[in-house]
Amino acid sequence: MSNIRFEALKSAFEHKSAVVNEPEGKVKDYFAQDVFTREKMKEYIAQEVLDQLFDDVDNGRTIHRDIAGSVAIGIRKWAIEHGATHFTHWFQPLTGGTAEKHDAFFTLDKSGALLEEFSGDSLYQQEPDASSFPNGGIRNTFEARGYSAWDPSSPVFLIGDTLCIPTVFVAYTGEALDYKTPLIRSTATLCHAAREVCAYFDKQVKHVHANLGWEQEYFLVDEALYNARPDLMLTGRTLMGHNSAKSQQLEDHYFGAIPARVLAFMRELEYEALKAGIPVKTRHNEVAPNQFEMAPIFEEVNLANDHNLLVMSIMERVAERHHFRVLLHEKPYAGVNGSGKHCNWSLATNTGVNLLAPGKNPYQNLQFITFLVNVLMAVQRHNGLLKASIVSATNEHRLGANEAPPAIISVFLGKQISAVLDKLEHATAEEAIIINAKKEMKLGVANIPEILLDNTDRNRTSPFAFTGNRFEFRAVGSSANCGAAMLALNAAVAEQLMRFKEEVDARIEQGEAKERVLFDVIKKYIVACKAIRFDGNGYSEEWKAEAAKRGLDCETSVPLVIDRYLAPQTVEMFRYTGVLSEAELQSRSEVKWETYVKKLQIESRVMGDLVVNHVLPAAKRYQTMLLQNVLAVKQVFSADETASLNEMDYSIIKQIEHHSGAIVEGVERMTDARHKANRMPDERAKAIAYHDNVLPLMAEIREHADALELIVDDEMWTLPKYRELMFIH
Ligand code: ADP
Ligand code: MG
């Protein structure tokens, strides 16, 4: 009898690195080779058209159709010259990942003759038959009208013979059905609000934008082994598998050299990413075996997010060429670290100032403190929403576990900044801000050293940490669209800045001095946002109790965390900032619950299938072998001798009986719980039922399956084991 695990292992051992698609020349020779950059546009599009286009894009205005028409002609020319035959609108549905619909560059004229075509209209807008994309009730399927529309702020690019046009995806009624639309809205409001606040300090600031630098973690697994694990194939994670005797305890993987076959994969991945204009910079091993990370140089948040989504699909493509599969799931293996996607976020001005870094003069420093404290206020007020923006059925396994961000959002500031805030809190305006005879401002206790980047002062247990010149939102999941988290953060900070300005302006209008008002309000905020500041161990039990006392959101059940999208202060904040309407929020939560249910339903079915068709047959086969052995022994040996001889066999036979029985019974209860959940009246109730009643049974069944894996003859076990999945490369 053949065993698929051994077949898979045989293939895995034979897999060597593929021939690397080596870069030609220096990075600068091929960087952004597949992107229609602003530089290249100059060759294909008239200057006055470009001036108008760039001006509109940079100021967030809608592009006129005539301009789109002229740009489209240039785009087509460039694309066809570079081998493109098709084009696609590339968008970001709420299910995650990206979606595309390919069209050829030609059409037929009335006489049936071939006409090369790619008009402004097809650049601008398309109507993909998108009735099967989730919309949370916004768009009735019978009217199935979703539009994808060009996002001119992100450049078009080529993948093979296809021109990809980054687009937003909206309903017929204009409501957002994707992540990009509200992300763009959130950056527009944030930039406006931030610029207004900057005006207190520096009138030169005309434009502010948010930056995102993501760090993508992932696992690699050999393709043959992956194919022999139905759970990995269908759910992206292992639903069972006993811990490997050696996993990450020695931490040797983190510091180790990158294995040759993986290095070949990474080199090709980087080459492909660089050609696509993604400025990837770092690569290294992560903590768990076969876990790695890649990070680019930060970019404007909308572009950075497009690049992250693009990298995720490039990874999958390149991995296949190296006989690997890339696992973007947050928790492919129990018992070892999961994968996240740290989102480094900051605000920068057109004058080259990072608003989250201490500056060179007193005004810049006060400006820095102003923005820092406003971010704290926003994160505190919307800590529940920020958590909602990162939860999912997949990230659930990572959050709150003792190796990843805790399920309570708090902010780590570090010693230096905490000390500055403490001093300000207890200072008088005169001590903090000194205005000399020449009406120049000086900072007293508010003074801060220019260089803050202290890498030793880092708290890895914090979900939201200040790291010297940016905030690092660490709770985001590796498979997520960062847009969900970034738009919530942008909007929350925008709202806060708008409220701050209202408060400050009202007092300035009353005749108070600007510097004094700023100081007063900041001081008030420092006191008001104490609850969100936490520099201690985020994994500790004491923190959970303390956070609850502070009124922070401590909910851990994903379906209930999703409720935060509809909390009154969330709805009000998104309305005030114009980022999402209540209807859009409702539809988003619906989609989140629906996706949660579907993922757990699939997992639960696969689990049932695995134990019934893989685990139990192997266990029974082994048990039968032992039983036959017992009988044979009895025939050969005397009763006296067999008493002790059979002890071990009996014990294993009984253990197998026990675990098999528990599995059969567990599967019955799980199926029953699933059916009950499926009959629930709405998606939220279903999600809660899956969380409360199905998930715990899956964990229970797993324990028995993992116990059997330890007992059953290795040669009879059909599922690749953890040690094989994690250590073969
Ligand atoms: P670490 O693992 O120590 O957090 P990495 O070098 O892996 O550091 O990642 C740091 C990330 O932070 C990179 O993506 C980098 O581009 C980004 N980053 C650095 N400075 C800023 C900034 N001012 N704003 C946003 N992102 C930044
Ligand atoms: Mg980091």
Side-chain angles (χ1 to χ4, degrees), residues 215 342 460 472:
E215 301 164 48
H342 295 176
R460 295 277 167 197
E472 186 168 342

Side-chain angles (χ1 to χ4, degrees), residues 57 77 99 129 140 142 161 216 265 337 342 431 447 465 521 590 619 632 638 664 677-678 680 689 704 709 720:
V57 167
K77 189 155 184 285
D129 174 24
N140 287 325
F142 57 83
D161 61 4
Q216 177 74 55
F265 157 80
N337 272 20
H342 295 176
E431 286 170 321
N447 210 1
V521 179
E590 283 295 315
S638 72
V664 170
N678 294 342
M680 291 288 172
H704 293 289
E709 185 186 319

Side-chain angles (χ1 to χ4, degrees), residues 211-215 282 284 293 295-298 342 344-346 354 458 460 469-470 472:
N211 282 321
L212 162 65
W214 43 263
E215 301 164 48
T282 65
H284 57 79
E293 180 189 289
I297 296 168
F298 64 89
H342 295 176
N344 295 271
W345 177 91
S346 65
N354 176 353
R458 283 196 159 198
R460 295 277 167 197
N469 61 358
R470 59 191 191 265
E472 186 168 342

